Amino acid sequence: MILDAQHPLSSGLTADSRLIQAYQGVRPDVTPVWFMRQAGRSLPEYRELRVGTRMLDVCLDPELASEISLQPVRRHNVDAGIFFSDIVVPLKLVGVDVAIVAGKGPVLGKAVRTSADVDELTALDPAILDEALAPIRDAVSRAVSQLGSTPLIGFAGAPFTLAAYLVEGGPSKDHIHARTLMHAEPKAWARLMAWTADVTGRFLRAQVLAGASAAQLFDSWAGALSLADYAASVAPASAAAIAHVRDLTYSVNNVQGNVPIVHFGVGTGELLKEMHNIGADVVGVDYRVPLDEANRRLGGAVPVQGNVDPALLAAPWPVLEAHVRDVLERGRSAPSHVLNLGHGVPPDTDPDVLTRLVSLVHDVSAAE
Ligand code: CP3
């Protein structure tokens, strides 16, 4: 489907931005940079807005969600905004009993542990999201109207990461119940993954149709899986989730493009190739695998995103600077590179360090 003429990719507002160029495999004049979790607790203006509110209520308030998405763009001069929301928002909207507990993460009213639990969950009809996602579409279009030529990235959780929360009932270290269900009840697992792909795919598509210029799928907990389990029991559902945005194209000055899709996971060094193969354009790399090695594993033809170690944000500046220069240097081996962290911004990060890091990346890469 071709995006409508007002979409910032179709209108030409964001199609030539550094971020979209790099995501399309073209190396722009300057390496683009944004940070996972750039919107959130590292910013005093975010903490101020959040006083007395619940996370999921804020996600469903279009004015607040758009304002919080814009805060880090105003402050840091990053090359992209990321939509402020959470991976569990579409679960909440389809009718799942889920809350986000401060300092902990998503917690479910009831864990989905058996085939009967899966039947009960999947009886919730994903089609109701078409209407229920209205506040998300509203928030995205408000943010996009303020961002001008800076692209907004839409995102969603990958089916495995969402299923990990659903099956565990909350955050978990090794996701053992999810991995047990995968093998003990393979048919129920397949139903769970297909349903989750539909729910999360609709959330992602709604953001792109409302004006997001790129889409990122977060499979944060896929690093708990073996390559064999990932390929057999997870990758098909991630491909199905991505298929919700894979058909979206734009045409500007007679040049056709597709909405770029980024796929990121933590501890997924063994899975990089598979994570690309499900239909992603760009692979996000965590801090464990250097970018030149990630590029080698990906076959040398895939744009990469990453991978400054978030731990170094709190190290003395010369230590961080040397690390960032090394990341940029290794990133030069790939066709193109978007600088990011290897995971999210830690909540206690000094925001001035992030601002300084953005100008370092722009200065160093412009001089190359
Ligand atoms: O700036 C951005 O990156 C956009 C906003 C964003 C949030 N969550 C806001 C949020 C994004 C992209 C996410 C994705 C997300 N949510 C992931 C994938 C990315 C990753 O970090 O691996 C995951 C696994 C979740 C689930 C989740 N939600 C967790 C683990 C937490 C943190 C728990 C905590 O308090 O440390 C949340 C809550 C959450 N989502 C917060 C924010 C800003 C913190 C809530 C608060 O401010 O109280």
Side-chain angles (χ1 to χ4, degrees):
M1 191 189 110
I2 301 177
L3 294 168
D4 70 39
Q6 284 81 48
H7 190 284
L9 283 172
S10 301
S11 72
L13 258 181
T14 59
D16 290 335
S17 63
R18 290 168 183 163
L19 182 88
I20 300 303
Q21 280 189 50
Y23 280 169
Q24 307 281 23
V26 176
R27 210 166 249 285
D29 55 340
V30 166
T31 300
V33 46
W34 67 278
F35 305 113
M36 292 185 279
R37 293 281 171 96
Q38 64 188 18
R41 282 169 295 181
S42 66
L43 299 184
E45 57 270 36
Y46 170 80
R47 295 196 298 267
E48 202 174 299
L49 265 189
R50 280 294 317 279
V51 172
T53 63
R54 282 185 301 193
M55 176 66 187
L56 288 176
D57 293 343
V58 173
C59 292
L60 296 174
D61 180 322
E63 207 177 311
L64 283 176
S66 64
E67 168 59 21
I68 294 170
S69 307
L70 298 171
Q71 286 177 342
V73 181
R74 289 193 197 110
R75 192 190 253 266
H76 298 313
N77 194 28
V78 278
D79 295 284
I82 178 157
F83 179 52
F84 181 80
S85 195
D86 195 81
I87 58 170
V88 299
V89 164
L91 295 178
K92 172 90 181 166
L93 290 176
V94 80
V96 175
D97 178 9
V98 57
I100 292 182
V101 177
K104 193 169 176 202
V107 175
L108 280 290
K110 179 179 179 247
V112 179
R113 292 279 167 87
T114 64
S115 181
D117 294 342
V118 171
D119 288 342
E120 198 184 314
L121 177 75
T122 57
L124 298 170
D125 183 2
I128 70 162
L129 286 172
D130 292 346
E131 245 173 69
L133 285 166
I136 298 305
R137 286 191 289 268
D138 188 1
V140 168
S141 61
R142 283 170 193 244
V144 166
S145 71
Q146 304 276 310
L147 279 167
S149 58
T150 303
L152 182 75
I153 300 168
F155 75 92
F160 176 74
T161 289
L162 286 171
Y165 284 112
L166 289 165
V167 177
E168 301 297 334
S172 151
K173 234 182 167 155
D174 47 14
H175 313 289
I176 195 149
H177 296 103
R179 290 187 293 118
T180 299
L181 187 69
M182 178 187 290
H183 291 281
E185 299 273 7
K187 288 203 173 113
W189 176 258
R191 284 201 305 283
L192 172 64
M193 293 296 277
W195 179 86
T196 309
D198 192 3
V199 168
T200 204
R202 286 171 194 259
F203 176 56
L204 196 56
R205 186 175 179 90
Q207 293 167 59
V208 175
L209 292 183
S213 292
Q216 177 157 326
L217 194 71
F218 283 93
D219 211 349
S220 301
W221 311 139
L225 299 168
S226 68
L227 177 58
D229 280 353
Y230 181 80
S233 308
V234 170
S238 296
I242 278 186
H244 285 257
V245 287
R246 193 63 291 179
D247 66 308
L248 298 175
T249 60
Y250 61 95
S251 167
V252 60
N253 304 328
N254 290 324
V255 180
Q256 276 260 326
N258 65 279
V259 175
I261 300 169
V262 186
H263 196 186
F264 168 78
V266 182
T268 45
E270 300 303 319
L271 310 179
L272 292 176
K273 189 101 189 138
E274 290 292 329
M275 289 179 67
H276 176 242
N277 285 345
I278 65 153
D281 300 297
V282 181
V283 172
V285 183
D286 85 348
Y287 53 87
R288 291 171 180 84
V289 181
L291 289 182
D292 47 350
E293 172 59 14
N295 178 59
R296 193 192 62 76
R297 293 183 191 185
L298 287 163
V302 180
V304 294
Q305 177 172 281
N307 70 351
V308 169
D309 186 345
L312 272 65
L313 295 172
W317 176 257
V319 176
L320 176 60
E321 177 174 345
H323 174 55
V324 172
R325 286 177 181 273
D326 183 58
V327 169
L328 283 169
E329 185 55 38
R330 292 176 191 275
R332 294 200 70 79
S333 65
S336 53
H337 172 210
V338 173
L339 192 123
N340 205 309
L341 304 178
H343 200 178
V345 174
D348 58 356
T349 301
D350 174 355
D352 292 342
V353 172
L354 296 175
T355 310
R356 196 171 171 192
L357 203 161
V358 172
S359 32
L360 175 70
V361 171
H362 288 161
D363 290 350
V364 170
S365 59
E368 273 166 357

